[in-house]
Amino acid sequence: MVDDDRERGRERWDDGLIARRAAEKAAVAEKKAPETPREEDALPLLGGSYGGPLRSRLDALHELVGLSRTRVESEALAEAGRVLDEAAARQRLSSRHTVIALAGATGSGKSTLFNALAGVPVSETGLRRPTTSAPIALSWSDGAAGLLDRLAVPSRLRRRPLAGGAGDTELQGLVLVDLPDHDSAVTAHRDQVDRVLGLVDAVIWVVDPEKYADAALHERYLRPLAGHAEVTFVVLNQIDRLGAEAADLVLDDLRRLLDEDGVALGEHGEPGATVLAVSALTGEGVSELRETVARFVQERSAPERRLAADIDAAAARLRPAYVAEGRPGLDERARDAFTDRLAVAVGAQAAGEAAERVWRRGAIRACGTPWLRLYRWYERMRAHGTADPRPEPPVEDELTARQRVEQAVRIVADEASRGLPVPWAQAVREAAVRGAEGLPEALDELTVSMGDPAARPPRPAWWPAAVLAQAVMTLLQVFGALWLVGQIVGVIEPGLLPPVLVMLGGIIGGPLVEWACESAVRGPARRYGQEAERRLREAAAACGRARVLDPVAAELMRYREVREQYATVVGTRPSTARVVVGGRSGTTRLGATRAGARAR
């Protein structure tokens, strides 16, 4: 297959003298070292340069941005998007090279140090300010063209150091970029510095004894980039102008300022910024700087370190949008309270009590004496002008019910959003408000569809027997009265006691039957009213759950997902966090578990 590829390559390029010579040289080189793979071939392909935790963090950041586009402001996600774009751009370029920027203020001797590291006058030095007007690149090995194109370094400003020497071998893979002065009076120069500093793998800050404490340097660069300490070098130049004791004092004060800026110092084997003292003019300390930079370059971890620091910075800016205080969500108490408020709004308890009253009233009507029923009918007619005991609800009650529904939704939205970051709290409230738009009408339709439980209450099986007994008592009263009338008119033989006893039995037995029926109906009437209340309450709860609680729970679930992704982005060790969703406490393992599974 190698021979076939070679033949195809020759056919493709065999269209001129230069191409044929290039093909011949490639064939000769391949014959000389057929078993030695090129370093570029040994590198992972696109998409495989970043591995382990860094790959998981990038995947989590990508998913975090995707899940948050409609929830978090675009400005807050812009930095995260820039980090992802730069990570993809750096991944496509050479991983054998480390790009280090040489940055400093006007007159700090930055260009002189650049030339000292190069071993040849590459960058212009002098008293004229600003001396460096455009980035100048120095590459110790081939293959860095793509990186320099990314930095927008013109071809005419790309240099190579003097060939030969152990120093050149140790610095293989280094791309050193001399930047314009960061405090230049020319705005375009400062813009170039800011642009390149966002793209390089590491930075060597060159300071001098006069400007090492410059507020512009510390407030604009060192303090904001404190999280990039592992890819930061701070070099105190021009120590030849100081005595040994004064140089130590200035160096100690520089370390103090860096510590106040939050820059971790890489001393005693701890990761952090490297602080050195050199004199680019006399060469003092330059060899130590070259050795330190050479070790740093040979580790070939600068791009990943820089990217990890960029992710940390983006995660710190996003923290207010993802980290909640306390335990947000809806628990069973809040859900039950919402159901109770909806039940009050639809009048579930009132409906149950009305059903219970109607049941009992039906028993009294069916089993009561006809004389008492006639009297009660007369009272209703006189009081209401109608025989219907259920008047229409006033308009004020309907308005009050709507207000109760809106209040219930507002309270549950506040409960669910309490402690959430502002974007997600707003999303929860919006979901609740959207669900509440048609909730009162839906509850009204639900009440109508279920019917009035007091309209036709069922009758127990013993009611016919009670009605028959009451009819017998009424017949006894009528029979006794007719018996007495017959005696009075002389149709029946006189005998006062028997008809009186019969009539008295009917008079006493009627109320006794009514009382017995009323006592017997209390339990079934209460259960019927409770069942009516339960059905209306459950129906209202189901409607509220579908329209309000479920959308709110969906937003809380989405927040839980992004919270897990954010924990992976910041590199937090797996820990337990709880977000109450749907009345249950959802325990999540904050770490790379989900992101890793999705990446796989």
Side-chain angles (χ1 to χ4, degrees):
M1 181 175 289
V2 175
D3 295 337
D4 295 338
D5 294 341
R6 196 179 306 151
E7 291 298 329
R8 284 196 297 270
R10 290 174 179 174
E11 292 175 1
R12 183 170 60 252
W13 291 99
D14 194 10
D15 56 356
L17 179 61
I18 296 178
R20 286 195 295 272
R21 289 180 177 177
E24 291 174 0
K25 290 181 180 180
V28 172
E30 188 174 355
K31 290 180 180 179
K32 289 183 179 180
E35 299 298 332
T36 303
R38 293 179 301 171
E39 190 170 6
E40 294 88 338
D41 298 335
L43 293 175
L45 299 176
L46 177 64
S49 297
Y50 305 132
L54 184 58
R55 178 77 266 171
S56 299
R57 295 180 69 188
L58 283 173
D59 292 340
L61 183 61
H62 185 272
E63 189 166 356
L64 183 68
V65 172
L67 290 171
S68 306
R69 290 193 185 278
T70 58
R71 300 295 182 270
V72 182
E73 295 181 1
S74 58
E75 296 181 0
L77 297 176
E79 179 64 18
R82 187 196 67 80
V83 171
L84 291 173
D85 293 341
E86 296 301 334
R90 184 64 179 90
Q91 184 181 13
R92 290 190 293 267
L93 301 174
S94 173
S95 61
R96 297 180 297 112
H97 293 82
T98 301
V99 183
I100 301 179
L102 204 63
T106 304
S108 61
K110 170 173 53 63
S111 297
T112 304
L113 181 61
F114 184 81
N115 294 333
L117 293 174
V120 61
V122 176
S123 184
E124 182 182 357
T125 61
L127 299 177
R128 181 177 58 87
R129 298 290 180 262
T131 304
T132 305
S133 59
I136 301 175
L138 189 65
S139 177
W140 269 261
S141 58
D142 297 328
L147 293 170
L148 296 178
D149 290 341
R150 179 168 173 253
L151 299 179
V153 178
S155 300
R156 59 184 177 82
L157 298 180
R158 302 179 184 182
R159 304 287 188 268
R160 292 294 300 272
L162 289 178
D168 288 345
T169 303
E170 294 175 355
L171 294 177
Q172 288 294 314
L174 172 62
V175 179
L176 192 62
V177 181
D178 185 15
L179 297 180
D181 301 330
H182 69 77
D183 60 348
S184 173
V186 182
T187 305
H189 293 179
R190 298 197 301 270
D191 294 341
Q192 289 189 64
V193 172
D194 295 342
R195 178 182 59 82
V196 175
L197 287 179
L199 301 176
V200 296
D201 301 325
V203 183
I204 298 177
W205 289 99
V206 182
V207 298
D208 59 79
E210 295 177 353
K211 294 185 178 181
Y212 73 91
D214 186 17
L217 170 65
H218 290 269
E219 294 179 3
R220 186 175 180 181
Y221 295 104
L222 293 178
R223 193 168 300 163
L225 296 176
H228 296 68
E230 293 189 30
V231 292
T232 300
F233 298 81
V234 182
V235 176
L236 176 63
N237 193 17
Q238 302 177 10
I239 60 172
D240 56 293
R241 298 167 50 189
L242 304 171
E245 185 177 354
D248 291 338
L249 291 176
V250 172
L251 202 60
D252 290 340
D253 193 46
L254 175 60
R255 291 191 178 97
R256 179 187 62 81
L257 292 174
L258 292 175
D259 184 68
E260 292 179 357
D261 292 335
V263 179
L265 301 181
E267 299 177 345
H268 310 294
E270 298 178 357
T274 301
V275 181
L276 296 173
V278 302
S279 173
L281 188 63
T282 64
E284 182 181 357
V286 174
S287 59
E288 182 183 358
L289 175 61
R290 286 174 64 95
E291 292 175 1
T292 303
V293 172
R295 289 194 301 269
F296 182 77
V297 171
Q298 295 308 315
E299 290 176 359
R300 294 184 180 177
S301 60
E304 293 189 356
R305 291 184 185 180
R306 170 59 194 264
L307 180 56
D310 287 343
I311 295 175
D312 290 338
R317 294 187 183 95
L318 291 174
R319 179 180 176 83
Y322 296 103
V323 178
E325 299 177 358
R327 183 182 176 185
L330 285 177
D331 54 12
E332 289 293 343
R333 180 193 59 79
R335 294 170 63 87
D336 291 343
F338 178 68
T339 301
D340 293 340
R341 294 186 182 95
L342 289 185
V344 172
V346 299
Q349 182 178 0
E353 293 175 354
E356 180 180 354
R357 286 195 302 269
V358 170
W359 181 297
R360 296 178 62 181
R361 187 164 47 242
I364 295 173
R365 287 180 181 178
C367 307
T369 62
W371 325 116
L372 184 59
R373 288 159 56 187
L374 184 61
Y375 172 75
R376 288 171 179 169
W377 175 83
Y378 171 75
E379 289 292 332
R380 286 196 305 268
M381 288 292 292
R382 189 176 65 173
H384 304 289
T386 177
D388 189 359
R390 296 184 301 274
E392 292 293 331
V395 179
E396 290 78 4
D397 290 347
E398 296 181 1
L399 295 177
T400 303
R402 177 178 292 273
Q403 293 173 356
R404 285 173 177 171
V405 171
E406 294 174 353
Q407 182 184 17
V409 173
R410 184 168 57 253
I411 292 176
V412 77
D414 292 341
E415 287 280 345
S417 60
R418 182 178 295 116
L420 285 176
V422 174
W424 302 100
Q426 182 65 24
V428 167
R429 293 192 185 97
E430 290 177 356
V433 170
R434 285 194 302 268
E437 289 177 355
L439 183 58
E441 291 77 7
L443 292 175
D444 291 341
E445 295 177 0
L446 179 66
T447 304
V448 173
S449 63
M450 292 187 62
D452 188 359
R456 285 186 177 179
R459 295 185 176 184
W462 51 265
W463 276 26
V467 172
L468 179 60
Q470 191 63 261
V472 170
M473 296 299 107
T474 303
L475 291 176
L476 288 177
Q477 295 177 42
V478 174
F479 179 75
L482 292 176
W483 195 350
L484 285 176
V485 173
Q487 290 182 1
I488 293 173
V489 299
V491 177
I492 303 175
E493 294 182 1
L496 183 62
L497 185 59
V500 170
L501 291 178
V502 171
M503 189 175 178
L504 187 60
I507 293 174
I508 297 176
L512 287 176
V513 171
E514 182 178 350
W515 176 81
C517 292
E518 186 176 356
S519 299
V521 85
R522 286 178 182 174
R526 186 180 300 108
R527 288 192 295 271
Y528 177 71
Q530 292 174 350
E531 178 65 18
E533 179 182 355
R534 184 191 62 80
R535 288 190 291 107
L536 189 55
R537 179 188 181 90
E538 290 181 353
C543 186
R545 180 171 57 252
R547 288 180 170 267
V548 177
L549 295 184
D550 287 349
V552 168
E555 290 297 334
L556 292 174
M557 181 66 71
R558 187 166 185 167
Y559 169 72
R560 188 179 71 176
E561 291 179 0
V562 299
R563 183 66 181 85
E564 291 177 354
Q565 297 302 328
Y566 180 78
T568 305
V569 169
V570 299
T572 305
R573 293 182 179 181
S575 60
T576 302
R578 291 179 178 268
V579 178
V580 182
V581 179
R584 296 177 301 277
S585 178
T587 304
T588 61
R589 299 295 294 177
L590 299 182
T593 305
R594 177 173 295 194
R598 294 181 180 177
R600 292 193 291 272

